[in-house]
Amino acid sequence: MKTLQDRKSNGSKLESPALNQTKATTSRQVQPEPADKTSHPRRPGLDELVPSRYALKVGEIDVMVISDGVLSLPSAMLGHNAAPSTRSAWLEDKFLPTDNLEWALNAVVVRSGGRTLLIDAGIGIDPGLNLPRAGRLVQRLEAAGIDLASVTDVVLTHMHMDHIGGLLVDGVRDRLRPDLRIHAAAAEAEFWKSPDFSRVSMPPGFPDALRRTGKRFLNEYHSQMRTFENEYEVAPGVVVQRTGGHTPGHSVVRLASGGNRLTFAGDAVFQVGFEHPDWYNGFEHDPAEAARVRVRLLRELAANRESLVATHLSFPSVCHVAIDGDVFRWVPGPWEY
């Protein structure tokens, strides 16, 4: 069984068999229910036309990538240490706008060993920022048939607001199970008690929003936090490993089952990072270390040919990494139905 097989996405009503606990356990296709193809703006948005979930298998582990929407940010954020002309040339070569770029926001649901894990929790809603196309995670979990009360563990790659904010949306905490465990690196939790923004290059408003969200999250969820130093196996075949760099406690999640492997890289990898791994992302708190982490991770993924998913790679994000001279090449996985 290949790592990238058994993926399924929603057109409008298509569900994942594994994550909706049906009896389908093979790669046979699940037929969508009959549905009209028109949009209904006044209806609760459970029948969106835009694809927002994508299921696959990693051995015996069920995985679903969920889109939290997109975040519009200045394109300079992709590499604030690069010459503007070089950065613009790269964007034009990729048929992308040179002023503002829409960053994907991906989270992942994993089922293994009787546990249901939510890896990162989306951006939520911040009244101080205008983010009209982000913060869709709770709605899209519901559309995928995933009840918040079924989530046994939340694994945080780090505590930037686009990874924790979904848990701060009004009413969400009341829907979570009381024995929910939230896993994060000890260094990450410590950092957000007094975060250092001296080396970032963020748009106005974001540092204050990140501080505000981090402080609130620690206050509201401190009793459910389960911190680890360097590595922790959350469920069978699901290991979270601290990398540092992007934030002091930034972590990646490694999945392994039946000889198949997938890494959820959080914010260690961005689209430009394959060809320009030395470009500094504006949200990196230690950009030089983040670049070293990126190179080490991409080399490893290229060598062992495992699948990669990352927060800000275009949905559904599932891809491979190839060596391309002194840098890397992004190889998107085929969309399988």
Side-chain angles (χ1 to χ4, degrees):
M1 185 179 293
K2 296 181 180 179
T3 303
L4 296 181
Q5 76 178 53
D6 289 317
R7 297 181 200 151
K8 300 159 186 77
S9 173
N10 63 315
S12 57
K13 294 286 187 180
L14 182 60
E15 304 296 346
S16 159
L19 291 174
N20 284 291
Q21 297 180 324
T22 72
K23 295 183 181 300
T25 58
T26 70
S27 60
R28 75 174 169 82
Q29 299 297 317
V30 177
Q31 297 300 319
E33 300 172 7
D36 66 49
K37 301 299 182 182
T38 57
S39 61
H40 302 274
R42 290 185 295 273
R43 182 190 299 178
L46 299 183
D47 59 349
E48 297 178 287
L49 298 183
V50 61
S52 62
R53 59 188 184 270
Y54 197 61
L56 61 148
K57 297 277 285 187
V58 178
E60 296 302 312
I61 300 174
D62 294 310
V63 180
M64 181 178 280
V65 184
I66 304 282
S67 170
D68 187 42
V70 293
L71 182 62
S72 295
L73 291 169
S75 297
M77 298 287 299
L78 284 176
H80 61 87
N81 62 327
S85 58
T86 303
R87 189 172 57 239
S88 293
W90 183 87
L91 290 162
E92 289 177 356
D93 184 62
K94 298 293 185 273
F95 295 88
L96 295 171
T98 58
D99 50 356
N100 284 286
L101 191 63
E102 291 184 341
W103 290 18
L105 296 169
N106 300 313
V108 174
V109 176
V110 171
R111 281 192 173 139
S112 177
R115 305 197 73 81
T116 298
L117 285 58
L118 176 62
I119 304 177
D120 286 340
I123 198 167
I125 302 170
D126 189 290
L129 299 173
N130 181 27
L131 306 172
R133 300 178 65 195
R136 310 293 179 85
L137 183 64
V138 173
Q139 166 191 337
R140 288 172 173 173
L141 287 171
E142 292 174 352
I146 299 170
D147 186 349
L148 287 176
S150 72
V151 176
T152 60
D153 301 79
V154 174
V155 182
L156 301 177
T157 60
H158 60 298
M159 288 175 56
H160 277 160
M161 64 181 294
D162 53 327
H163 300 256
I164 62 173
L167 295 182
L168 298 174
V169 172
D170 288 348
V172 165
R173 190 175 183 189
D174 293 337
R175 297 167 61 188
L176 297 170
R177 54 196 298 154
D179 60 346
L180 176 74
R181 304 185 306 182
I182 300 176
H183 307 273
E188 188 71 5
E190 185 64 27
F191 174 75
W192 286 98
K193 294 177 182 178
S194 181
D196 176 11
F197 285 78
S198 62
R199 288 177 285 183
V200 303
S201 182
M202 299 179 183
F206 274 86
D208 287 342
L210 290 167
R211 288 188 182 95
R212 182 168 60 245
T213 305
K215 180 178 180 179
R216 182 183 167 195
F217 184 85
L218 288 175
N219 286 339
E220 293 194 14
Y221 285 100
H222 69 277
S223 64
Q224 290 161 290
M225 294 283 288
R226 302 293 184 268
T227 60
F228 62 92
E229 292 301 321
N230 293 306
E231 183 175 293
Y232 180 71
E233 185 172 20
V234 183
V238 183
V239 176
V240 56
Q241 298 175 339
R242 186 174 72 88
T243 63
H246 187 76
T247 60
H250 181 277
S251 302
V252 300
V253 183
R254 318 300 293 262
L255 309 183
S257 173
N260 296 324
R261 299 174 63 89
L262 180 146
T263 290
F264 182 72
D267 284 11
V269 179
F270 299 83
Q271 183 177 347
V272 73
F274 295 90
E275 296 176 51
H276 298 285
D278 58 337
W279 283 13
Y280 294 171
N281 182 275
F283 281 82
E284 290 167 341
H285 292 259
D286 186 343
E289 178 61 16
R292 290 189 286 268
V293 167
R294 188 157 40 249
V295 169
R296 286 196 300 268
L297 179 62
L298 290 174
R299 282 177 179 164
E300 179 185 353
L301 297 178
N304 64 25
R305 301 177 66 85
E306 73 180 88
S307 300
L308 166 67
V309 174
T311 306
H312 301 298
L313 296 181
S314 296
F315 177 84
S317 171
V318 185
C319 64
H320 285 100
V321 182
I323 298 292
D324 189 7
D326 294 331
V327 291
F328 305 92
R329 181 164 48 91
W330 178 31
V331 185
W335 187 287
E336 298 183 4
Y337 296 87

